[in-house]
Amino acid sequence: MRTKKTKKRAKRVSWFGKLMALLPASCVLLYPLYLAAQLDTVNETYTSPYLPDAFDGLRIAFLSDIHYGSLFKEERVRKLAKQVNALDADIVILGGDYAENSEGAIAFFDLHPGFKGKIAVLGTVGNHDRTLPENNFSKLLKRMAEEKVIPVVNDVWMLKKAGKTLAFASTDDFFNGYPDFYGIAALCSEADFTVFFPHNPDSLPETYGIGKQSFYQLALCGHTHGGQVAILGHAIKSSSDYGNRFLSGWYRENGADILVSNGVGTSGLPVRLGARAQIHLITLKSEKKTH
């Protein structure tokens, strides 16, 4: 288990950022501001020889880094939920950083956003959700559950079908929480396929020492915002300790496939460049192993 760092990773929105948020985001002439207000739905087909046929065609909606607050207000939350629900996904996964701090994360669920999945809605927590006071953490998990979002934090949620098991696992936040990688790996050991969705991709290399290959086949992460402002695939200022290693898009490391999302909202300033805001609809496909 990793020792928690000092809670200093949740950057506050400056007065300048709040002032920028008052500008008309609908004006294309203010392009970085305009781009931050756009939201793409990215359709992904993920094929794996390890996925049991029982889960072929399962549809997962994945979104992260909403950052509800002064830069992402209630009206946009309502619009976001409507866009996600229109995807008619089987499983909806919320990747954390619901607001600018833990109190805001609780307030986010107080809005009753109403995310819907045909089977379940799952959620983890990010560094902005794990700010002080410490007792806000239990309050947040309770509010998530009350809004029919299953909290998956140092835990696993299992989907069983035709004698096969698909595990959805996540740890506590890598920077501000207490992630238990070995505990999660043990819980997933009997699953036929595991989707791991920690908020921060920086946590992934810590799992590589658990067994010869990753205990999961597919990882879904956020946190990086795709750099938020990125030039030629390089972040102007990276939120990752690994720089651009897990900036945006698909990667393959240690036998696992990794998707890092640009996320929905913004942090610090309401601007984007070279990193469009996005949600994902991922269709799982089974591919038989060939010998």
Side-chain angles (χ1 to χ4, degrees), residues 12-25:
R12 291 185 177 183
V13 178
S14 66
W15 66 267
F16 184 64
K18 293 178 181 179
L19 183 63
M20 289 188 68
L22 299 176
L23 296 173

Side-chain angles (χ1 to χ4, degrees), residues 1-107:
M1 183 181 293
R2 187 177 187 275
T3 303
K4 182 177 58 175
K5 291 183 178 181
T6 304
K7 292 179 181 286
K8 62 182 182 181
R9 297 278 181 156
K11 180 170 58 178
R12 291 185 177 183
V13 178
S14 66
W15 66 267
F16 184 64
K18 293 178 181 179
L19 183 63
M20 289 188 68
L22 299 176
L23 296 173
S26 59
C27 179
V28 180
L29 295 176
L30 302 172
Y31 187 70
L33 197 70
Y34 168 82
L35 192 64
Q38 309 308 304
L39 181 61
D40 295 340
T41 296
V42 183
N43 288 283
E44 317 266 9
T45 298
Y46 172 74
T47 303
S48 173
Y50 304 103
L51 181 75
D53 290 342
F55 303 110
D56 184 82
L58 189 82
R59 288 153 47 93
I60 300 171
F62 174 61
L63 60 151
S64 187
D65 299 278
I66 298 167
H67 290 280
Y68 164 67
S70 57
L71 306 185
F72 199 101
K73 298 183 180 180
E74 181 176 350
E75 181 182 355
R76 291 183 68 185
V77 172
R78 304 290 180 201
K79 186 177 179 181
L80 170 66
K82 185 176 180 180
Q83 186 170 343
V84 171
N85 292 343
L87 298 177
D88 197 33
D90 299 300
I91 304 287
V92 174
I93 296 179
L94 307 178
D97 271 6
Y98 302 104
E100 297 167 2
N101 53 40
S102 61
E103 291 183 356
I106 295 168

Side-chain angles (χ1 to χ4, degrees), residues 7 81 105 161 174 212 225 228 261:
K7 292 179 181 286
K161 186 177 180 181
F174 184 65
K212 293 182 179 180
H225 296 207
Q228 191 163 311
S261 175

